[in-house]
Amino acid sequence: MAPPTSSQIRPGRTLLALLVIILAMGASIVFQKAFVPKFGLDLAGGTTVTLSPVTADGKAPPQESLDRAVNIIRDRVNGTGISDAEVARSGDNIVISVPGAGRDEAIKLVATTAEMRFRQVLAVAAATTPPAALPTTAATPSSSAVTPSPGATPAGRAVSKAVAEPTPTPGVTRRARSHTATGERSAAGTRAKATPSPSPSATAGEEDPLAGQDVSGIDPAVLEAFRKINCTAKDRGQGAQDDPNKQIVACSQDGSARYILDKAAVQGSQITTASAGVRQDTGEWVVNLDFKSQGASQWSDLTAKAFGAQAPRNQIGVVLDGLVITAPSSNGRIPGGKTEISGGFTQQTATELADQLKYGALPLKFVQSSVVSVSSTLGQDQLRGGLVSGAIGLLIVMLYLLLYYRGLGAIGIASLGVATIATYLSVAVLSANVGFRWSLPHIIGLVVSIGITADSFIVYFERIRDEMKEGRRTLRAAVEVAWRRAKRTILVADAVMFIAAVVLYFLAVGGVAGFAFAMGLTTLIDIVVVFLFTKPLMSLAARLKFFSKGHKLSGLDAERMGRSGAEQTLQEA
């Protein structure tokens, strides 16, 4: 027996490639335990938050500021347009509906100002002065380990060619490190200066948190506020819009330390992009920032100024919404405008922070007028109705294919089945990785796409029958010639549908954008299924006697092809 030619085994390889793709998506779902896609607001319920603007003069806010706030909040809660979150204006208020999120999570997501500022640290102390006597000498730095003191600042550092570990509260020193663009290298001979030891009076139990620290150049009112601030309280200043032109007192994000910070040297408006990522050398999650040209120059000057100062003034406080999220010490001037922030982030917290910084700060201060939980009872009924209607539509299409195309209809039904599986797997993978939420508009888009997908099969089948009626010698030849002609029609039709979906997606919001996304997704899946499944399967079927001999149930019998049985036999002889 002669070995099969490349043309004979190509359909099998194509089908195998499609199987590998489907199995890979299935494995991703199993690994992530995302068997059921997340539901949108109308199907799973959620939280509706109403924000009311607050202005300094008590007057109505500018309309352009409200519009900008709507766009920023919409980008935060539904940046990709597929999470089914809705943001709309109601007079001067902004109403946000977030699917699935808890009340606290929804409020945190939409109401934070997300204005980051970089300030030089002027003084730092633990959140509260411990009653026990403090040590009278500074801890000795170790080359292999660092022992943080009570109230140490949260772990974190700013990185870009030069990297420095955060300096803890007075009494602890750290060894500085540096990085080049090609990797980590030891900063030989460079060591962070030790923080001055607490004074004997502090050891004796005096409650002055500034004992032993340089307070020159600090506003006396700020010094007094620093002594009085309680960073262990539930409300420790989070969400406050601080004045970038004044020195401030701020708590660390975890409430373990308090800071006096100089005027803002770099503001969040100078950030061009922010993204979450993983450091290759440590595997920790970080937030990468890129500054504008002015911000890059300001950042370079700030890191150089801090590097030449005594601790704790060699630290740079990274302040977000009134809290210090990290306070790394400078290890030298950092040019180039690229910075990395780390601080014990998880993937979720790093992504949340990057999104807030990327989409910008709200131009107005808002208060929550109301927070209401949304029920999904009505949506569940609509979901059942949508699924039932989709199943009925799919069943009718299958019956039509069987009655009209018979054996060819079975190939069409198999293609619809593969398209259904691929669509569900795609929805589940998108839901687990990019926040896709399955809502009623998405379901409508998927149901409508059943007809679009069936159209591609019908165009191909009709081309095959036309070729057979024109007297092509064999079914195999008709299958190949018909494909060359049909695929152009299929691609053009799907391209028109996909362009319409893209335009609708970018111009619309809310449910209409969700409908457009579903329609565009199924259009792409239709192309994949037709090219990787329907055509190869038809090529294999053409080798079967059931189709090639024109069986009455094949859909290619002589009667349907408009030829006599003798002519059909001669054609296939």
Side-chain angles (χ1 to χ4, degrees), residues 386-401:
L387 293 178
V388 170
S389 63
I392 293 175
L394 185 61
L395 180 61
I396 292 175
V397 172
M398 289 180 175
L399 288 176
Y400 170 79
L401 289 174

Side-chain angles (χ1 to χ4, degrees), residues 46-66:
T47 303
T48 295
V49 181
T50 301
L51 300 180
S52 298
V54 177
T55 58
D57 55 8
K59 297 181 180 179
Q63 296 303 304
E64 51 273 18
S65 296
L66 281 174

Side-chain angles (χ1 to χ4, degrees), residues 467-479 481 548 563 567-573:
E467 293 298 324
M468 294 291 292
K469 291 177 181 179
E470 290 176 6
R472 295 290 174 181
R473 181 170 180 79
T474 64
L475 176 60
R476 292 190 188 184
V479 165
V481 173
S548 62
R563 300 194 305 272
E567 185 180 358
Q568 174 80 8
T569 303
L570 181 62
Q571 290 280 343
E572 298 300 337

Side-chain angles (χ1 to χ4, degrees), residues 314-357:
N314 65 336
Q315 292 178 253
I316 298 173
V318 183
V319 185
L320 179 68
D321 296 338
L323 295 179
V324 180
I325 62 172
T326 183
S329 57
S330 175
N331 196 36
R333 181 187 293 272
I334 302 179
K338 293 184 180 295
T339 297
E340 176 186 280
I341 299 175
S342 64
F345 292 117
T346 63
Q347 180 179 2
Q348 179 180 355
T349 57
T351 302
E352 287 177 355
L353 176 58
D355 286 345
Q356 289 175 346
L357 296 177

Side-chain angles (χ1 to χ4, degrees), residues 119-317:
R119 299 171 177 266
Q120 184 179 10
V121 174
L122 301 180
V124 61
T128 57
T129 303
L134 298 174
T136 57
T137 58
T140 303
S142 169
S143 60
S144 59
V146 177
T147 305
S149 64
T153 60
R157 56 180 172 276
V159 184
S160 175
K161 294 188 179 179
V163 181
E165 294 288 351
T167 302
T169 53
V172 177
T173 59
R174 290 182 184 263
R175 179 181 299 273
R177 298 189 303 167
S178 67
H179 288 265
T180 64
T182 57
E184 184 173 332
R185 58 186 174 83
S186 171
T190 304
R191 187 184 301 270
K193 299 178 177 62
T195 304
S197 304
S199 64
S201 61
T203 306
E206 190 172 320
E207 295 183 356
D208 186 2
L210 294 170
Q213 298 193 55
D214 180 12
V215 296
S216 61
I218 302 178
D219 189 329
V222 174
L223 291 173
E224 187 64 23
F226 180 78
R227 292 186 174 95
K228 294 180 179 180
I229 190 171
N230 181 13
C231 288
T232 60
K234 183 177 181 179
D235 183 6
R236 49 181 180 269
Q238 57 268 37
Q241 289 183 309
D242 53 293
D243 189 338
N245 299 314
K246 294 182 179 180
Q247 296 176 348
I248 66 168
V249 176
C251 298
S252 63
Q253 194 171 38
D254 62 358
S256 63
R258 46 184 160 168
Y259 296 86
I260 295 178
L261 302 165
D262 204 357
K263 299 176 182 179
V266 188
Q267 298 192 40
S269 58
Q270 293 298 320
I271 296 175
T272 55
T273 60
S275 61
V278 178
R279 290 192 62 192
Q280 295 183 352
D281 55 344
T282 63
E284 64 179 323
W285 280 93
V286 296
V287 177
N288 299 301
L289 303 178
D290 285 345
F291 291 107
K292 300 177 183 177
S293 57
Q294 181 181 354
S297 176
Q298 293 171 342
W299 176 248
S300 177
D301 294 341
L302 176 60
T303 52
K305 178 181 177 181
F307 177 65
Q310 293 284 340
R313 299 195 178 198
N314 65 336
Q315 292 178 253
I316 298 173

